[in-house]
Amino acid sequence: MRIFLCVIFIFVSSMVISSGRADSVRSPLKVSGYVSMNRNGMAPIPSFSLGKPAIIAGFTLRKNRFSYDPQLSYSTEFKPWIIDNWLHYRLIQNKNFELRTGISSSAFFSGIETSEGKIWQCQRYGTLELAGIFTLSGKSTLSMLAWYDKGFDKGTITGYIINLIADKPDILIGRKLIAGINAQFFYLDYTQENDGLFLSPKIALNVKDIPFSIYFQCTQALVSNISPYPGFRWNAGAAFHFGTTGQ
């Protein structure tokens, strides 16, 4: 825990110093976000799922190279599932390439059945991120993302995730319909035999100039020693997107 806090301190201090040197020119504060409802509660790394309908909301506050990107995930019974608090900093940002680093404190909630009823427990995690994002053409991107997760409470797991993501969000079908295709190919290696290689494609559809979309996502375990074997999972949902820019 002390080592992780030291890393946080160094990370934030270096970003503040770098930001003061590189981002002296004022830029507007950018605000964006989404709210979605889906049938199977898939997490951002889709090998983890709630297994029942969920409401997921996230937003981004971005200023210069910094962004704050929290995400709240609840069951439709309004029981908490995952709360993430991401702070990101862009070490490199230009037209075709972005190198991003990040740190997050997270909470994972689960219910435990006892003789006196269900008890909700909270497990705390800290995560470090390094991500490279290549812009291929238009809004199409190819990203490589690495996470290191550290569990702080009894029963938590620790490990890392390597994720390759291809994203093409702007395929025009006819005059109004827009399709977005996203594919994740990722490997995770956690303690307590939580390892595996997964493939997860996703397709989203929306009408031009309307901030609602519907999507379908599936995840297939290619190789895994997770028990029970995760196999094939699918998820579908609808999302509302918003975004503004201001001083």
Side-chain angles (χ1 to χ4, degrees):
M1 180 68 175
R2 292 179 180 177
I3 294 175
F4 193 81
L5 291 175
C6 289
V7 171
I8 293 175
F9 177 78
I10 295 171
F11 174 85
V12 174
S13 298
S14 63
M15 289 194 305
V16 171
I17 294 171
S18 299
S19 179
R21 292 175 180 173
D23 295 316
S24 57
V25 179
R26 292 187 62 187
S27 65
L29 176 67
K30 299 179 181 180
V31 183
S32 61
Y34 68 91
V35 179
S36 71
M37 178 175 289
N38 55 82
R39 69 163 295 278
N40 201 30
M42 280 191 177
I45 300 297
S47 59
F48 303 107
S49 67
L50 182 61
K52 58 183 179 180
I55 300 169
I56 301 176
F59 67 91
T60 292
L61 300 175
R62 180 170 176 176
K63 177 79 170 177
N64 295 324
R65 295 174 182 258
F66 284 98
S67 68
Y68 174 55
D69 309 282
Q71 181 174 280
L72 307 175
S73 303
Y74 283 77
S75 71
T76 52
E77 300 166 340
F78 292 100
K79 300 291 185 181
W81 174 32
I82 301 173
I83 297 176
D84 286 325
N85 287 281
W86 277 102
L87 178 64
H88 287 112
Y89 179 73
R90 287 149 186 87
L91 299 168
I92 300 172
Q93 56 177 5
N94 55 49
K95 183 178 179 180
N96 297 315
F97 178 69
E98 176 181 298
L99 180 63
R100 184 184 73 198
T101 186
I103 194 163
S104 174
S105 63
S106 305
F108 173 76
F109 297 86
S110 59
I112 300 175
E113 294 290 348
T114 69
S115 58
E116 299 179 356
K118 180 177 286 190
I119 298 176
W120 285 89
Q121 71 169 3
C122 172
Q123 296 177 321
R124 298 169 300 153
Y125 285 85
T127 307
L128 299 175
E129 177 193 85
L130 184 65
I133 304 166
F134 297 87
T135 300
L136 304 177
S137 62
K139 296 181 180 180
S140 300
T141 59
L142 181 65
S143 307
M144 175 71 80
L145 180 150
W147 279 4
Y148 173 74
D149 270 339
K150 171 67 177 178
F152 294 128
D153 298 310
K154 184 177 179 180
T156 57
I157 57 178
T158 294
Y160 64 89
I161 297 171
I162 305 295
N163 197 357
L164 180 65
I165 306 169
D167 187 50
K168 186 171 181 58
D170 56 353
I171 303 171
L172 187 61
I173 302 174
R175 299 181 62 182
K176 289 290 186 178
L177 189 63
I178 298 174
I181 298 176
N182 176 287
Q184 298 187 45
F185 184 68
F186 60 96
Y187 174 76
L188 56 89
D189 186 352
Y190 280 75
T191 53
Q192 301 180 20
E193 296 188 346
N194 287 283
D195 310 335
L197 184 65
F198 297 81
L199 177 64
S200 181
K202 177 180 179 181
I203 184 168
L205 296 170
N206 71 283
V207 178
K208 189 176 181 180
D209 299 325
I210 296 178
F212 287 94
S213 64
I214 57 174
Y215 62 89
F216 175 83
Q217 181 180 20
C218 61
T219 299
Q220 175 65 55
L222 304 178
V223 179
S224 179
N225 64 359
I226 297 174
S227 181
Y229 187 74
F232 177 83
R233 297 175 180 174
W234 68 276
N235 191 24
F240 169 75
H241 305 267
F242 63 89
T244 60
T245 300
Q247 294 290 341

